[in-house]
Amino acid sequence: MDRAAGCPFDPPPELRSRQEEGPLTRVRLWDGSTPWLVTRYAEQRALLGDRRVSADVTRPGYPSPARISGGSSIGFILMDDPEHARLRRMVTAPFTVRRVEAMRPDVQKIVDDLIDELLAGPKPVDLVEAFALPVPSLVICRLLGVPYDDHEFFQDNSKVVIRRDATPEQRAAAVGRLAAYLDGLVGDKLAAPGDDLLSRLAERVKAGELSRQEAGQMGVLLLIAGHETTANMIALGTLALLEHPDQLDLLRSADDPQLIAGAVEELLRYLHITHNGRRRVALEDIEIAGQVIRAGEGLILANDIGNRDPAAFPDPDRLDLRREARHHVAFGFGVHQCLGQSLARMELQVVYGTLYRRIPTLRLAADLERIPFKHDGSVYGVHELPVTW
Ligand code: HEM
């Protein structure tokens, strides 16, 4: 199911009918398997917070979005505790609210400098290439200790990893190239540590707490998750605001950090870019909403329609920046809830709070019908966003 059939900001209409039918229905996947599709907010949170469900992609019954070949593992996102917790703990420090807030002035400078360049350059311009991708890429590069000069290499390979139509071989090859690249960087940090997260991981490798392969895999996960998601929220968020001028006006004239922070939550809820659902498999029989999910059965928690559940968000299809939306599931829920959420929130607050004020006449330079949407990826967004002012 993709969004091509309806409004580009809404989940597929079929998901809405499923949600009206009931919280859990069966769906048929590409391989003939029939996992449960969970469409209501309450049941999604209950199941994502339930220790009896597993995120381990190698377990039989796991509802894979596509054929996956061996060797394409990208870190702890697809593992269960205690392994997941052991690895996640090693990288949490830079993502705490306090550490993220300390980065805010740097992020503001990155955003201001990129807007200066935009204003000095030719127009129309592709906002994805010129702004949405560079902001989070520069930030995650600094945090990890990855040279930004290599951005074309890692952005191109990340795109292959998250493309739904990539073959397993193409995906494994892209993960392999990224893993080799990160492994090389870990090697450099072992020899000459710096003040960055890869150097902290290299120290753990030296201390025998972590294998070099694990360090490289975590680097791949953080590098991909750290730039692709936020970049799509910047570009798609801008498009959604341009299509909702009253909401854009509200944001542009707001001088209230609370309103900007609330707007970020609402856009995360409304757009929900990780649109392929959280994927899990039941470890035991689980009774929920009058159904029994049997051990070994797959679950797809469609958080995009969960964020549009009228029981959790009244009038859910309306973009309303003043809404209280922070309880959305755009960052997932439970033990795998997004590690980078404070960082993503801060980056988006800086971007949404700066871009439209500094370029108040920002507008689309093409018809909405001509904008290429990412129906082919596991992260939703736009491939290009031509804008002018
Ligand atoms: C708007 C931006 C972002 C969105 C919408 C987003 C969304 C998500 C979601 C839905 C999950 C849960 C996956 C699951 O349950 O299967 C997740 C996990 C994760 N995210 Fe994000 N993310 C964003 C930004 C970031 C950033 C900036 C980083 C920084 C490195 C990051 C790192 C991670 C990691 C490492 C995980 C795995 C956590 C675990 O398995 O314990 N994300 N993200």
Side-chain angles (χ1 to χ4, degrees), residues 15 19 22-24 36-50 53 272 274 277-278 280 288-289 293 299-309 312-313 327-330 332-334:
L15 276 182
Q19 189 181 61
L24 283 90
W36 294 100
L37 180 70
V38 186
T39 47
R40 291 195 192 162
Y41 175 85
E43 284 75 14
Q44 290 179 357
R45 295 240 307 191
L47 286 165
L48 285 173
D50 194 318
V53 303
H272 195 92
T274 56
R278 316 271 51 83
R280 301 291 190 267
I288 186 162
I293 299 166
L299 296 166
I300 300 176
L301 304 116
N303 285 163
D304 51 351
I305 197 70
N307 274 338
R308 300 289 187 98
D309 184 339
F313 306 96
H327 54 296
H328 62 70
V329 278
F333 189 70

Side-chain angles (χ1 to χ4, degrees), residues 334-349:
V335 291
H336 289 280
Q337 196 176 34
C338 181
L339 172 74
Q341 59 184 286
S342 301
L343 180 62
R345 285 190 161 109
M346 183 271 281
E347 290 182 57
L348 293 173
Q349 287 163 11

Side-chain angles (χ1 to χ4, degrees), residues 76-77 84 88 222 225 229 233 278 280 330-332 336 338 340:
F76 53 83
I77 193 165
H84 160 264
R88 179 169 165 138
L222 295 169
T229 45
M233 272 306 299
R278 316 271 51 83
R280 301 291 190 267
F331 289 124
H336 289 280
C338 181

Side-chain angles (χ1 to χ4, degrees), residues 97 120 208 221 236 254 278 305:
V97 175
L221 170 61
L236 192 65
R278 316 271 51 83
I305 197 70

Side-chain angles (χ1 to χ4, degrees), residues 10-23:
D10 288 347
E14 195 188 334
L15 276 182
R16 169 68 71 209
S17 341
R18 295 272 192 154
Q19 189 181 61
E20 283 161 6
E21 233 174 89

Side-chain angles (χ1 to χ4, degrees), residues 244-259:
H244 293 80
D246 58 323
Q247 299 296 299
L248 181 55
D249 274 350
L250 188 66
L251 193 57
R252 206 188 278 123
S253 55
D255 204 7
D256 172 8
Q258 291 303 331
L259 193 140

